[in-house]
Amino acid sequence: MPDSGTLGGGPRVFDRTLARMGLALLIGIAGASIARSVSMPLPYLLGPLLACGSASILGAPLAALPYGRELGQVAVGLAIGLRFVPVVVIAIAKLLPLMLLATVLTIIATMVAALLLQKLAGTDRKTAFFATAAAGLAEMAVVAHQKNADSDTVAVVHLIRVTSIVTIVPFLVTIFGEDGGIHLAPIPFRGEAIPLVALFVVGAAAAFLVRRFKLPNSWLLVPAAIGAIVSGFGFGPFAVPSIVLTIAQVVIGVWLGCRFRRSLLGRLWRVTSSALVTTAFLLAVAMAIALALSAATGLSFVTSLLAVAPAGVTEMALTATGMHLDATTVTAFQITRIAVVMTTILFTFRIFETFSRRLDASSD
């Protein structure tokens, strides 16, 4: 008679899951070490992403840490929020009209990308629209499922877009930019350990509670808001230790890499190749918008590119932090884009649907 603890394979499944998570972490750490040794930009994020992504595509049994990405986002959110002192908030508020304009231009670009994806990949209108919308992967996959679109296709296109931009943009920043010179004054960690741990716990708990309201990027935005409140009221100064941000980058990179699955990418090979084309188009548009934004505001081109690139808030903010650029402005632009896209997504879909039908009718 089998031991009662092994009925249903529970312990064995648990052991296999732990082994998969351990393997993913080992590969991620190795990838980070190699990336750092060859001076790759953003090595602690891109190294694990590329290493785990390659291993996963080759069939390695990998699994990301449960809530690892979310807790990594909490750390990044706090690091960004603690920089939102009043003078920074005032300066960013003046850029709000340009944030909205950049968002509108990005939405128009994603509609064009949707038409392109529809033709290249042979998808339906709904799937093409939600697959190219400039919002989060998880949020768009859920909305696509609710609207009877192909959520697998939506997830693959978003994954390729985010991963490609996260991988390419740091190299562009390195090539076209230079160190931004924004260095935070070092703060003794020993004296701030307890309040920082408290902030992390409060930020994680608040994000966990808020997630039921379907707020996009809640694991990043809620801790960022808490950090901004603490900083705005003059508490501190506090700063998240660099080792914590390094760990957060590795965990987030591993999570992104583990999202790749050979079976899914192989089944949707036409979608995969089409996604690369639409991503190149969106990145080219982002670079054009960044040039205009830089000319209008005096922000550096690389800061402007990170601000308008249609990728994850966390990854763009980490890139800005790594290059000592204005991470608060980058985050503000990214948050504005996601907030506008998520609150207008159904309205913009109706506009896209009407326009694409007319376009189809005129071509018949």
Side-chain angles (χ1 to χ4, degrees):
M1 182 176 180
D3 182 79
S4 59
T6 62
L7 289 176
R12 292 182 180 178
V13 171
F14 180 72
D15 289 343
R16 284 198 298 270
T17 302
L18 282 179
R20 293 171 65 191
M21 290 189 292
L23 179 60
L25 278 177
L26 287 175
I27 292 175
I29 292 170
S33 300
I34 294 171
R36 188 171 183 272
S37 68
V38 298
S39 300
M40 180 183 292
L42 213 61
Y44 299 113
L45 177 71
L46 295 187
L49 189 163
L50 296 174
C52 288
S54 300
S56 187
I57 290 173
L58 291 173
L62 306 182
L65 292 173
Y67 284 99
R69 178 174 182 260
E70 290 82 355
L71 293 178
Q73 288 181 301
V74 171
V76 177
L78 279 177
I80 295 168
L82 290 171
R83 298 183 184 183
F84 276 88
V85 294
V87 65
V88 171
V89 174
I90 293 171
I92 289 175
K94 294 178 181 178
L95 294 173
L96 183 59
L98 290 174
M99 293 180 193
L100 295 174
L101 177 59
T103 298
V104 171
L105 293 175
T106 300
I107 291 174
I108 294 172
T110 58
M111 288 185 180
V112 176
L115 293 173
L116 188 60
L117 182 68
Q118 187 179 351
K119 297 297 182 182
L120 293 176
T123 63
D124 59 89
R125 283 192 191 91
K126 287 181 181 179
T127 299
F129 177 81
F130 292 117
T132 55
L137 185 157
E139 291 84 7
M140 285 301 95
V142 170
V143 174
H145 179 73
Q146 293 172 345
K147 296 299 177 182
N148 297 317
D150 186 344
S151 57
D152 280 348
T153 295
V154 170
V156 166
V157 175
H158 274 280
L159 178 62
I160 290 173
R161 171 176 58 83
V162 171
T163 303
S164 298
I165 292 177
V166 167
T167 304
I168 294 170
V169 165
F171 286 96
L172 294 177
V173 170
T174 302
I175 294 170
F176 294 108
E178 56 185 18
D179 192 295
I182 300 178
H183 296 270
L184 298 180
I187 302 169
F189 176 63
R190 183 179 301 173
E192 64 177 12
I194 293 177
L196 269 179
V197 171
L199 279 174
F200 187 90
V201 171
V202 171
F208 182 81
L209 293 174
V210 167
R211 69 190 181 120
R212 70 181 64 182
F213 299 108
K214 308 298 182 183
L215 176 70
N217 289 86
S218 60
W219 290 96
L220 177 84
L221 300 186
V222 173
I226 291 173
I229 292 171
V230 170
S231 181
F233 278 97
F235 298 105
F238 300 124
V240 176
S242 59
I243 183 62
V244 175
L245 291 178
T246 297
I247 294 171
Q249 291 179 69
V250 171
V251 172
I252 292 170
V254 168
W255 182 88
L256 283 170
C258 289
R259 298 287 296 182
F260 284 91
R261 288 289 180 269
R262 179 170 58 181
S263 58
L264 186 58
L265 294 178
R267 181 169 63 85
L268 299 174
W269 65 269
R270 185 178 174 186
V271 170
T272 301
S273 58
S274 301
L276 292 172
V277 174
T278 55
T279 296
F281 167 73
L282 289 174
L283 185 55
V285 171
M287 292 180 72
I289 295 174
L291 283 171
L293 179 62
S294 179
T297 62
L299 291 171
S300 68
F301 168 71
V302 289
T303 299
S304 300
L305 178 58
L306 292 173
V308 300
V313 183
T314 307
E315 293 80 15
M316 295 300 96
L318 283 170
T319 304
T321 301
M323 287 293 294
H324 303 116
L325 299 168
D326 188 354
T328 51
T329 297
V330 169
T331 303
F333 267 85
Q334 292 283 344
I335 289 173
T336 300
R337 170 177 58 81
I338 290 176
V340 172
V341 170
M342 289 303 298
T343 54
T344 64
I345 189 71
L346 297 181
F347 173 71
T348 53
F349 173 66
R350 287 195 292 270
I351 294 176
F352 170 77
E353 194 172 32
T354 300
F355 177 77
S356 61
R357 282 177 175 171
R358 291 179 179 177
L359 194 64
D360 289 344
S362 64
S363 62
D364 291 339

